[in-house]
Amino acid sequence: MARMTLAVHPQLYSIHSFTPDSKIDPQVFEQPMFFIGKTKDELSVVVPADLSLKSLEIESDWRCFEVVGPLGFSMTGILASVSGTLANAKVSIFAISTFDTDYILVKKDKLELAIQALKKNNYQIIHY
């Protein structure tokens, strides 16, 4: 696989859990970056940590790696490669994919360990 570049976002993110029938706070849609996932069982929202939402549960202090793309749908194994590298370093992730690329969130206190593991495995790391 070619040398891949991951960009570290400077801000902190929070992951919120809601019931699937919850209404999404309109402030979510004003954020520079957010993710929403809904199933029959849950509604998850990822937003910058400085936005306070009234959720059932919250996981705070996440940092974000962005796979510098865009990535074509014919490309395979990208998320598996990154997540495998981080799993070997004992770094848990929260992964999100969009049409163009992948985002990998890691806890703030594991960021440096994640960067070291990725660099050791030939990933280029840049900071936004």
Side-chain angles (χ1 to χ4, degrees):
M1 183 177 290
R3 185 175 174 155
M4 198 176 322
T5 301
L6 301 174
V8 180
H9 290 220
Q11 59 269 67
L12 284 173
Y13 291 91
S14 294
I15 305 166
H16 295 266
S17 176
F18 298 90
T19 61
D21 59 339
S22 296
K23 301 292 182 215
I24 297 172
D25 186 320
Q27 292 181 87
V28 168
F29 301 104
E30 298 171 8
Q31 301 308 303
M33 188 166 94
F34 63 89
F35 298 96
I36 299 170
K38 182 178 178 181
T39 68
K40 66 178 181 61
D41 298 318
E42 68 167 313
L43 172 68
S44 295
V45 178
V46 179
V47 291
D50 57 0
L51 177 61
S52 179
L53 300 175
K54 293 181 181 174
S55 54
L56 296 174
E57 290 185 61
I58 182 172
E59 275 284 329
S60 300
D61 294 330
W62 292 86
R63 293 290 301 272
C64 180
F65 288 100
E66 176 181 344
V67 179
V68 176
L71 308 174
F73 281 100
S74 63
M75 297 177 75
T76 60
I78 294 168
L79 189 55
S81 177
V82 174
S83 64
T85 297
L86 295 176
N88 289 338
K90 306 285 189 252
V91 176
S92 296
I93 68 166
F94 186 88
I96 301 167
S97 294
T98 66
F99 193 90
D100 286 336
T101 195
D102 296 317
Y103 296 84
I104 299 94
L105 281 71
V106 301
K107 290 297 257 185
K108 173 180 75 172
D109 64 345
K110 298 289 186 178
L111 179 66
E112 288 307 317
L113 178 60
I115 290 172
Q116 291 172 11
L118 290 163
K119 283 183 174 180
K120 183 178 176 184
N121 282 274
N122 230 12
Y123 290 89
Q124 181 178 2
I125 306 297
I126 61 173
H127 294 268
Y128 280 158

